[in-house]
Amino acid sequence: MRAPSIALGSLELVPLSDGFLALDGGAMFGVVPKPLWERVAPADARNRIRMGMRPLLVRGERTVLIDAGCGDKMDAKSAEIYAFDRSRHLDHALADAGLTATDIDVVLASHLHFDHAGGFTARGQDGIARPRFPGAQYIARTGEWEDAVHPHERNRASYFAENYVPLREAGVLTLVDGDGEVAPGIRVRRTGGHTMHHQIVMIESGGQTAVFMADLIPTVAHVPLPWIMGYDLYPMDTLSFKRAFLREAIERKYLVFFEHDPTVSAGYLREKDGRVTVVPVVSG
Ligand SMILES: [Zn+2]
């Protein structure tokens, strides 16, 4: 199967998948009551909703992978809690794009939660986690790294050292402070909100812009302003960044990527009568 790809100026964007997981619907929609959210995100018998894990590949001068899904290190208990469905995972998606792990030059982290950074490392036969992309330089934000290596009671369930500490030990991790370009045509922008140093990724070429929104707007259902995750550490920061960002994305016609949507990888935002909707470009 050939992976769908999208031309953006001189770059090629390839939406990937590391499979699916299920998270508590109430936690995913914060203050939004269940009778509203279950219309757009049906819950299973344990109140969980199905979500994708959709890393994005950017092919240009360098081959850049943005986030990497949860990977294969999760134990049986976690697999049960999160209902992982990785019958088709990132290796399959890379193969569909004609690539293997060795072709990735740069791995960029939106943040270091397990469903984004779990795939950064893999265990060898000896059980030790090592960088999964042998030729890659990994990039994360300094503040996010500091939070990930000093977890507290409210975020501990999302941060697992084996997903990122081995990168540092192997000398393949670059920590970046502030917003700016991290590869040709690719720049990061801090949103805060979800975590203090959560960042989105702006991809620009030939006058066109695409945005990898990570957990700022994880699914199409999270486009309305008050639909903000209960997981977010600083929800008012999410709200103010989201308000400004939606305006910008509509006016400048950004192509936006939804990392956790169960069906839609990417689309354009449209506003009509004060309501913002998504016109899907890539689904499935
Ligand atoms: Zn997250």
Side-chain angles (χ1 to χ4, degrees):
M1 190 181 88
R2 179 88 176 88
S5 83
I6 302 161
L8 186 91
S10 63
L11 301 174
E12 183 189 359
L13 309 181
V14 187
L16 303 176
S17 170
D18 195 41
F20 298 87
L21 83 167
L23 291 175
D24 184 87
M28 278 307 296
F29 291 109
V31 297
V32 178
K34 184 172 181 185
L36 295 184
W37 63 251
E38 71 177 348
R39 282 188 221 153
V40 289
D44 68 11
R46 290 166 60 171
N47 208 48
R48 298 174 300 190
I49 63 165
R50 183 171 165 87
M51 296 175 26
M53 290 180 282
R54 303 177 180 279
L56 178 64
L57 188 78
V58 184
R59 302 180 80 170
E61 278 171 55
R62 317 204 67 196
T63 301
V64 179
L65 177 66
I66 307 172
D67 287 354
C70 68
D72 62 2
K73 300 190 304 304
M74 304 300 277
D75 61 18
K77 187 178 170 207
S78 305
E80 213 264 323
I81 291 171
Y82 297 112
F84 291 120
D85 169 3
R86 298 183 69 252
S87 47
R88 284 192 58 78
H89 56 68
L90 189 56
D91 288 342
H92 300 122
L94 287 171
D96 289 345
L99 296 171
T100 67
T102 56
D103 296 311
I104 306 298
D105 299 317
V106 176
V107 178
L108 177 59
S110 65
H111 62 307
L112 294 171
H113 285 171
F114 73 82
D115 50 329
H116 302 255
F120 288 1
T121 61
R123 277 202 199 99
Q125 303 249 313
D126 53 8
I128 295 171
R130 295 188 182 81
R132 173 165 168 210
F133 302 95
Q137 193 64 33
Y138 291 71
I139 300 174
R141 207 167 177 106
T142 308
E144 178 66 18
W145 165 267
E146 289 299 327
D147 287 347
V149 295
H150 300 103
H152 52 64
E153 292 79 359
R154 178 68 159 71
N155 64 14
R156 198 179 299 279
S158 299
Y159 286 126
F160 301 113
E162 63 179 3
N163 293 336
Y164 38 82
V165 170
L167 309 174
R168 183 127 227 212
E169 287 169 348
V172 295
L173 179 65
T174 303
L175 295 176
V176 174
D177 272 322
D179 293 347
E181 193 167 69
V182 294
I186 301 178
R187 80 188 153 87
V188 294
R189 191 164 154 192
R190 189 178 82 89
T191 68
H194 181 62
T195 68
M196 179 65 84
H197 302 276
H198 175 273
Q199 60 189 5
I200 55 175
V201 184
M202 315 283 295
I203 306 142
E204 290 153 328
S205 182
Q208 295 174 277
T209 302
V211 186
F212 185 80
M213 294 190 294
D215 279 347
L216 173 69
I217 303 178
T219 76
V220 170
H222 290 85
V223 168
L225 287 175
W227 292 54
I228 288 171
M229 286 192 274
Y231 293 110
D232 286 13
L233 296 180
Y234 310 97
M236 290 307 294
D237 293 346
T238 306
L239 178 63
S240 58
F241 193 97
K242 190 173 162 182
R243 190 193 303 279
F245 174 80
L246 284 175
R247 173 91 4 251
E248 178 185 323
I250 293 163
E251 283 171 3
R252 301 189 194 171
K253 300 182 171 59
Y254 293 164
L255 175 61
V256 295
F257 285 80
F258 299 94
E259 187 169 13
H260 283 309
D261 197 274
T263 54
V264 176
S265 289
Y268 288 99
L269 300 170
R270 292 275 180 277
E271 187 174 26
K272 205 181 165 213
D273 306 325
R275 233 190 106 205
V276 181
T277 54
V278 173
V279 182
V281 170
V282 185
S283 338

